[in-house]
Amino acid sequence: MTYLGAPLTSINQTWGTPRAFFEFLKDNFRFIPDLDAAASDENHKAPIYYTEEDNSLEMEWFGNVWLNPPFGKVLLPQFLEKCNHEISYGNVENIFCLIPARTDTKWFHEIVMKEVSHVYFIKGRFNFESPYSGKGANAPFPSMLLIYNQKTHRPIMHTLEVDKKFRGW
C-alpha cells in the first residue's frame, strides 16, 4: 500500500523553530541558550551555533543548549544519543530539544527515556519557518519538547498548551 497523505520526512532539513515558540520558552522556562547545536546562518537561536558543515555531533557542547535537529531516521537518533552523552558527562547544564512526538519508536524508548528529565507533548502542530520563502509550513506530525537537566534524571511527562501564534491551524 502506498501512503498518499502528508510526507513524514522532508528533503529540506533546515526548517526553523518559530520565533514565537522560542519567546515562549524564554518567558515560561527562563531558557536562554548559549549554543544552538543544529542551526544555519539564517535560523540560529543562540549567539554561538553549529551548522551542518560544523558537524555538531563531533563538536563539544556547553552551557544551555537549544536543539532542533534534523528529523531524519538516521540523524535524529544520533542527535539524541549526543544529548545523552553531553548531559551524562556533565558537559552541559540543560538541553532543550524540539523533535517529532514519535513515542512508538525504538529511539524514543531506548534513547530518549534513558536520560531525559522532562517530556512536554505539544498540543497542536507547528508552523515551522522556511529559509527559502520566509513562509512557514505546517508540520505533518505532532511535536514534543525534551528537556535534559543535570539535576533531574527521571522522566516526567507533561502536556504543553502553547500560544497559537506558532501553531499552523
Side-chain angles (χ1 to χ4, degrees), residues 6-33:
L8 299 177
T9 62
S10 175
I11 293 171
N12 175 12
Q13 290 292 324
T14 59
W15 294 101
T17 305
R19 291 236 173 246
F21 181 68
F22 207 74
E23 292 302 317
F24 174 86
L25 295 178
K26 287 180 184 177
D27 294 345
N28 292 278
F29 291 90
R30 296 187 181 111
F31 176 69
I32 299 174

Side-chain angles (χ1 to χ4, degrees), residues 32-36 44-49:
I32 299 174
D34 302 302
L35 171 68
D36 187 335
H44 62 91
K45 302 293 191 269
I48 299 173
Y49 60 96

Side-chain angles (χ1 to χ4, degrees), residues 71-100:
F71 293 167
K73 288 182 181 182
V74 174
L75 284 176
L76 181 57
Q78 290 175 351
F79 271 93
L80 295 170
E81 288 282 7
K82 178 72 170 174
C83 290
N84 287 352
H85 172 81
E86 296 295 325
I87 203 73
S88 66
Y89 284 93
N91 297 341
V92 298
E93 292 177 41
N94 299 288
I95 303 170
F96 278 54
C97 179
L98 181 64
I99 62 172

Side-chain angles (χ1 to χ4, degrees), residues 2 4 12 24 26-27 44 49 57 59 64 69 86 102 105 118 124-125 142 145 160 169:
T2 304
L4 299 175
N12 175 12
F24 174 86
K26 287 180 184 177
D27 294 345
H44 62 91
Y49 60 96
L57 296 172
M59 303 291 283
N64 289 311
E86 296 295 325
R102 303 243 195 266
T105 61
H118 297 271
R125 295 195 177 184
L145 175 69
L160 188 58
W169 322 323

Side-chain angles (χ1 to χ4, degrees), residues 138-150:
N138 284 350
F141 49 80
S143 299
M144 62 184 162
L145 175 69
L146 308 177
I147 299 177
Y148 296 82
N149 179 279
Q150 276 297 330

Side-chain angles (χ1 to χ4, degrees), residues 35-52:
L35 171 68
D36 187 335
S40 70
D41 292 332
E42 297 78 28
N43 72 16
H44 62 91
K45 302 293 191 269
I48 299 173
Y49 60 96
Y50 297 146
T51 65
E52 184 177 358

